[in-house]
Amino acid sequence: EADIYQTPRYLVIGTGKKITLECSQTMGHDKMYWYQQDPGMELHLIHYSYGVNSTEKGDLSSESTVSRIRTEHFPLTLESARPSHTSQYLCASSETGNPGNTIYFGEGSWLTVV
Amino acid sequence: GENVEQHPSTLSVQEGDSAVIKCTYSDSASNYFPWYKQELGKGPQLIIDIRSNVGEKKDQRIAVTLNKTAKHFSLHITETQPEDSAVYFCAAKRGGGSQGNLIFGKGTKLSVKP
């Protein structure tokens, strides 16, 4: 079992609201990620971080933002949610320094914007 | 950049039969190829991986083969059971360094009928 936790697991919010999805890992991993996954199954990398104070944009453009103030914590924020943001968001982490890093995923946060 | 193609998108087999999922990649510098299983309502979980210096790897009922020349790799599940029903993702590590990100295929939904 991976020690990576996401909250909330399920959230329904109104358009225009600000939301933050929390992600924490207790494995001491430097690298962390956020993926967006729609019902069509495909995983899209939207943000990642190499460590504290590092944030990078992924392959899929996203209106969300992330921060990495502590190694174990990598929250994702939407300043003004829209129905198009409805999706599942998966947080993940991995070690660095090894060419074949195993990525450990959290259980996901299901966001519905109405 | 790296591109990973995965086939088929859906696969239905009878319990006890074998299942094979195939992936191709485009970046010849990719050197790490993991497979993830995602059960309903959960995050993806690593089930097996292979590095570019190995042609085949087995773990009980699952095996992965890699053909570097043809740039394709496959997941083989033998003696399938209903609990094997899930979405399976292949992935390839972009580039040769430890800082690269995994590129995922679009997933295969496997259904094992009792």
Side-chain angles (χ1 to χ4, degrees), chain A residues 2-6 23-25 27 32 91-93 104-106:
Chain A
D3 295 324
I4 182 163
Y5 308 100
Q6 292 186 236
C23 176
S24 295
Q25 51 94 6
M27 297 173 282
M32 295 189 74
C91 182
S93 72
Y104 296 93
F105 284 89

Side-chain angles (χ1 to χ4, degrees), chain A residues 80-96:
Chain A
S80 179
R82 294 205 299 268
S84 61
H85 296 138
T86 295
S87 188
Q88 180 181 206
Y89 294 85
L90 288 159
C91 182
S93 72
S94 68
E95 294 178 346
T96 54

Side-chain angles (χ1 to χ4, degrees), chain B residues 20-23 35 48 63-67 72-76:
Chain B
V20 180
I21 303 170
K22 298 181 179 181
C23 290
W35 285 89
I48 195 168
V64 58
T65 59
L66 171 65
N67 183 326
H72 66 70
F73 56 113
S74 301
L75 178 71
H76 304 253

Side-chain angles (χ1 to χ4, degrees), chain B residues 6-12 20-22 88 107-109:
Chain B
Q6 183 171 347
H7 299 280
S9 57
T10 60
L11 179 60
S12 182
V20 180
I21 303 170
K22 298 181 179 181
Y88 292 81
T108 297
K109 184 175 182 179

Side-chain angles (χ1 to χ4, degrees), chain A residues 19-105:
Chain A
I19 63 109
T20 295
L21 304 180
E22 302 288 349
C23 176
S24 295
Q25 51 94 6
T26 58
M27 297 173 282
H29 289 168
D30 288 325
K31 202 166 181 184
M32 295 189 74
Y33 315 77
W34 277 102
Y35 287 86
Q36 184 174 340
Q37 185 179 37
D38 290 332
M41 303 187 302
E42 194 170 356
L43 291 159
H44 296 287
L45 179 65
I46 52 174
H47 299 283
Y48 61 101
S49 165
Y50 290 112
V52 172
N53 294 325
S54 158
T55 60
E56 305 286 343
K57 292 192 179 297
D59 302 318
L60 180 69
S61 176
S62 174
E63 293 169 349
S64 59
T65 59
V66 292
S67 62
R68 190 88 182 275
I69 299 173
R70 303 199 316 264
T71 298
E72 64 271 21
H73 196 214
F74 192 40
L76 179 145
T77 298
L78 277 165
E79 291 291 335
S80 179
R82 294 205 299 268
S84 61
H85 296 138
T86 295
S87 188
Q88 180 181 206
Y89 294 85
L90 288 159
C91 182
S93 72
S94 68
E95 294 178 346
T96 54
N98 182 333
N101 313 117
T102 297
I103 288 184
Y104 296 93
F105 284 89

Side-chain angles (χ1 to χ4, degrees), chain B residues 44-90:
Chain B
Q45 187 169 18
L46 179 74
I47 54 171
I48 195 168
D49 57 13
I50 193 167
R51 300 175 200 277
S52 58
N53 58 347
V54 176
E56 183 177 6
K57 184 176 178 180
K58 287 184 180 180
D59 183 3
Q60 299 181 336
R61 295 186 297 108
I62 60 173
V64 58
T65 59
L66 171 65
N67 183 326
K68 286 175 57 181
T69 303
K71 290 190 282 188
H72 66 70
F73 56 113
S74 301
L75 178 71
H76 304 253
I77 306 174
T78 59
E79 301 172 24
T80 54
Q81 301 166 4
E83 51 265 38
D84 294 329
S85 296
V87 178
Y88 292 81
F89 292 94
C90 64

